[in-house]
């Protein structure tokens, strides 16, 4: 399974540590260009990301993996499916195509401003995101905008140590990688969701209050994806990747049978 981490994090933030080995899963987390240990690739796109992963699969002889896209990692995971590189996807607390017209009137004001800025002047928006981006600034944003249940997860002393390590690693080359990720996530996707024909599980916590996750908790995305199952978890929030890791992984495994 390929993990596409969320915004401002790196390959160091995995999940399901007590599940992957007993289930026979090899979980591979990949730093996107410019984050962590991955070389920068200015001007990269979701399409070039899929090309990168195509090379990785060949080099490592990885046959028919599945993908997990958490939060801002969702469009990166779906891009892999759109290019025929993975056999199934779990989108977890995922960001939808927020620049799509179907969200014209349902985005939080600050998110609408970001989407409009990317549409009007992507280079200027990217520079603006880079000016804001740092591990400390993003950590503060996560903690202050998350639901109370999520803050309890993120600020747990053990989890916090690993989360902050992943964020620090993401910014060790500077903010450019984060800024490019954000431009790609806030812009139009270069593929149609209707063309993603592999099984896609859309996992959302009913209590998710993040302004940058799908504002309808994946409902409209689920209608577009031909083989989607929307799984709305009543007792979860945005941190469902960690609170319900076993359910997510075992459901994804069933698509391999």
């Amino acid at each position: 399974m390929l993990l596409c981490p969320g915004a401002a994090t790196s390959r160091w933030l995995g999940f399901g540590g007590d599940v992957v080995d007993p289930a026979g899963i090899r979980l591979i987390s990949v730093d996107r260009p410019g984050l962590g240990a991955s070389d920068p690739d200015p001007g990269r796109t979701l399409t070039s990301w899929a090309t990168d992963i195509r090379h990785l699969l060949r080099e490592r002889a990885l046959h028919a993996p599945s993908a997990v896209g958490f939060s801002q990692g969702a469009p990166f995971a779906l891009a892999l499916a759109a290019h025929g590189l993975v056999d199934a996807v779990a989108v977890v607390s995922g960001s939808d195509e927020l620049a799509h017209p179907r969200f014209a009137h349902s985005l939080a004001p600050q998110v609408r401003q970001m989407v409009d800025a990317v549409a009007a002047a992507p280079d200027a928006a990217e520079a603006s995101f880079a000016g804001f981006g740092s591990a400390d600034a993003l950590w503060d944003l996560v903690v202050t905008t998350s639901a109370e249940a999520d803050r309890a997860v993120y600020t747990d002393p053990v989890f916090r140590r690993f989360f902050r390590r992943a964020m620090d690693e993401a910014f060790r080359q500077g903010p450019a990688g984060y800024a490019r990720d954000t431009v790609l996530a806030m812009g139009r996707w270069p593929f149609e969701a209707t063309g993603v024909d592999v099984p896609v599980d859309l996992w959302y916590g009913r209590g998710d209050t993040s302004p940058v996750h799908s504002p309808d908790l994946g409902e409209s995305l689920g209608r577009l994806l031909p083989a989607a199952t929307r799984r709305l978890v009543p007792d979860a929030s945005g941190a469902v990747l960690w609170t319900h890791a076993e359910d997510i992984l075992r459901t994804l495994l069933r698509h391999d049978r």
Side-chain angles (χ1 to χ4, degrees):
M1 293 183 183
L2 300 176
L3 173 61
C4 300
T9 57
S10 64
R11 69 196 184 283
W12 287 107
L13 190 63
F15 77 108
D18 56 347
V19 179
V20 291
D21 284 344
I25 297 169
R26 183 184 181 190
L27 185 65
I28 301 171
S29 185
V30 182
D31 284 340
R32 293 186 285 274
L35 285 84
S38 184
D39 292 341
D41 181 14
R44 62 184 166 92
T45 65
L46 289 173
T47 301
S48 68
W49 158 254
T51 300
D52 289 344
I53 297 301
R54 188 184 302 277
H55 290 302
L56 174 67
L57 298 182
R58 289 174 179 168
E59 288 292 324
R60 297 296 184 182
L62 302 175
H63 176 66
S66 51
V68 179
F70 173 66
S71 189
Q72 198 178 86
F76 296 91
L78 289 172
L80 302 183
H83 285 82
L85 300 178
V86 295
D87 282 357
V89 177
V91 167
V92 186
S93 302
S95 176
D96 204 329
E97 188 178 7
L98 301 178
H100 194 282
R102 69 183 188 274
F103 290 124
H105 304 293
S106 59
L107 297 180
Q110 68 270 34
V111 179
R112 168 52 58 194
Q113 291 173 3
M114 295 170 71
V115 169
D116 290 346
V118 170
D123 290 345
E126 188 167 347
S128 175
F129 299 149
F132 170 78
S134 71
D136 288 340
L138 270 296
W139 168 255
D140 290 343
L141 182 66
V142 167
V143 172
T144 57
T145 61
S146 294
E148 183 176 352
D150 291 333
R151 283 197 296 274
V153 174
Y154 298 145
T155 59
D156 172 84
V158 174
F159 188 92
R160 183 185 186 278
R161 183 168 69 253
F162 286 103
F163 202 146
R164 286 307 310 258
R165 178 188 182 185
M167 298 186 87
D168 290 342
E169 174 71 6
F171 284 95
R172 73 177 175 128
Q173 299 185 66
Y178 158 77
R180 188 62 187 169
D181 266 7
T182 305
V183 166
L184 298 181
M186 293 292 173
R188 292 302 305 269
W189 296 353
F191 59 89
E192 294 291 339
T194 53
V196 177
D197 57 2
V198 303
V200 180
D201 293 300
L202 300 168
W203 293 88
Y204 291 90
R206 190 180 294 276
D208 190 352
T209 59
S210 170
V212 293
H213 295 171
S214 181
D216 60 1
L217 301 180
E219 184 175 0
S220 62
L221 185 57
R223 290 196 298 266
L224 291 175
L225 293 162
T229 302
R230 182 170 174 259
R231 303 181 185 278
L232 193 59
V233 185
D235 60 341
S237 296
V240 65
L241 181 70
W242 295 284
T243 61
H244 291 71
E246 183 168 6
D247 294 337
I248 293 166
L249 288 169
R250 294 199 181 278
T251 299
L252 194 53
L253 274 178
R254 288 200 289 269
H255 295 306
D256 292 334
R257 296 176 181 174

